[in-house]
Amino acid sequence: MDERKDRSADRGGASASEQLKARSRAAFNEQAATYDEGMQGSHARALYPYILEEAKRSLAGVCTPHVLDVGCGTGALSEQLLAALPDCRLTGIDLSSAMVERARIRLAARAEVIEGDAERLPFRDESFDLVVCNDSFHHYPDPDRAAFQMWRVLHRGGTLVMGDTWQPAPARSIMNAWMPFAHEGDVRIYSEAELRSILGTWFQHVDWRRIGTTACLVTACK
């Protein structure tokens, strides 16, 4: 990605980035067996209806759309996307091998599930009509690179639908100060302005809205 400075250096360089990813991978490998029913997956589950609503809206009139679920976890959201969009071709990708294993069992032949990195998506340019990313973006050490990758793999006119954690400024500052010491690989909770700036570098239109007291939903059009 030549067009934008790689911010991983600002966060301690490649080794620090890989350490954060290793923490995320280990945490989600451990959580995979209970994620769909336990408290650790409750925040992500609460966002499913909003992701599905925006996904259906963005793909209205698109025949056999190709959908990418970035940070697909156990495949629970992917399964709901397949039910809501029965003509779609769906691909999921996740950093955690245990999550990928569970997603492959759940989705079987209905979708392709790949173990991989959101900052290095292994897909050709303009491969997808829709990219969804739910409760995963705050784990990415280089959000600019991840945003670029999701923009790159979308068809022109395609849409990114992203749900993520959110907090008001005082709580966000406290949590962001604490995150470097956490074991889950969380990187940063972003403000509305920060997400608009990160995504707005690539996407033509970015819409942000608050969901409840601890989440946000973002749609961005290429």
Side-chain angles (χ1 to χ4, degrees):
M1 183 180 66
D2 298 328
E3 296 93 336
R4 188 172 176 89
K5 179 183 176 182
D6 185 340
R7 290 189 183 178
S8 62
D10 297 334
R11 296 188 174 94
S15 61
S17 175
E18 292 308 312
Q19 287 174 15
L20 286 165
K21 291 177 186 179
R23 288 185 202 172
S24 287
R25 187 182 293 110
F28 285 106
N29 281 344
E30 184 177 342
Q31 295 172 19
T34 59
Y35 192 81
D36 288 334
E37 297 82 25
M39 183 180 67
Q40 289 163 323
S42 61
H43 192 271
R45 293 194 298 272
L47 284 165
Y48 290 174
Y50 301 96
I51 299 287
L52 291 169
E53 178 185 5
E54 289 298 333
K56 289 188 289 186
R57 181 179 295 131
S58 70
L59 292 176
V62 180
C63 298
T64 59
H66 200 171
V67 177
L68 174 64
D69 186 353
V70 178
C72 67
T74 64
L77 176 59
S78 293
E79 185 174 47
Q80 293 190 30
L81 284 164
L82 286 166
L85 304 164
D87 295 328
C88 81
R89 296 171 295 155
L90 192 139
T91 302
I93 185 167
D94 200 278
L95 193 65
S96 160
S97 59
M99 290 287 194
V100 166
E101 181 180 359
R102 295 185 74 85
R104 285 173 175 166
I105 292 170
R106 166 180 259 131
L107 301 173
R110 293 180 292 163
E112 180 183 21
V113 183
I114 298 169
E115 184 178 340
D117 189 338
E119 295 175 6
R120 300 179 180 88
L121 293 177
F123 309 110
R124 294 181 179 178
D125 295 356
E126 300 192 14
S127 296
F128 299 94
D129 300 288
L130 171 71
V131 173
V132 300
C133 180
N134 188 43
D135 229 23
S136 185
F137 196 77
H138 63 280
H139 284 279
Y140 303 155
D142 191 340
D144 299 285
R145 184 177 294 276
F148 166 75
Q149 287 292 313
M150 289 187 275
W151 175 87
R152 179 185 64 79
V153 301
L154 274 169
H155 290 304
R156 192 169 301 278
T159 303
L160 166 66
V161 178
M162 185 171 77
D164 210 60
T165 187
W166 177 85
Q167 291 285 343
R172 187 170 64 245
S173 297
I174 293 169
M175 293 185 72
N176 285 341
W178 169 81
M179 277 183 176
F181 305 100
H183 299 290
E184 288 78 19
D186 300 276
V187 175
R188 185 173 180 82
I189 297 175
Y190 297 99
S191 68
E192 175 184 355
E194 287 173 322
L195 281 177
R196 286 185 181 277
S197 176
I198 291 167
L199 297 174
T201 299
W202 306 107
F203 292 89
Q204 292 186 13
H205 176 73
V206 179
D207 181 65
W208 183 101
R209 64 180 167 119
R210 177 174 156 183
I211 303 295
T213 58
T214 64
C216 66
L217 185 74
V218 185
T219 56
C221 301
K222 181 171 179 177

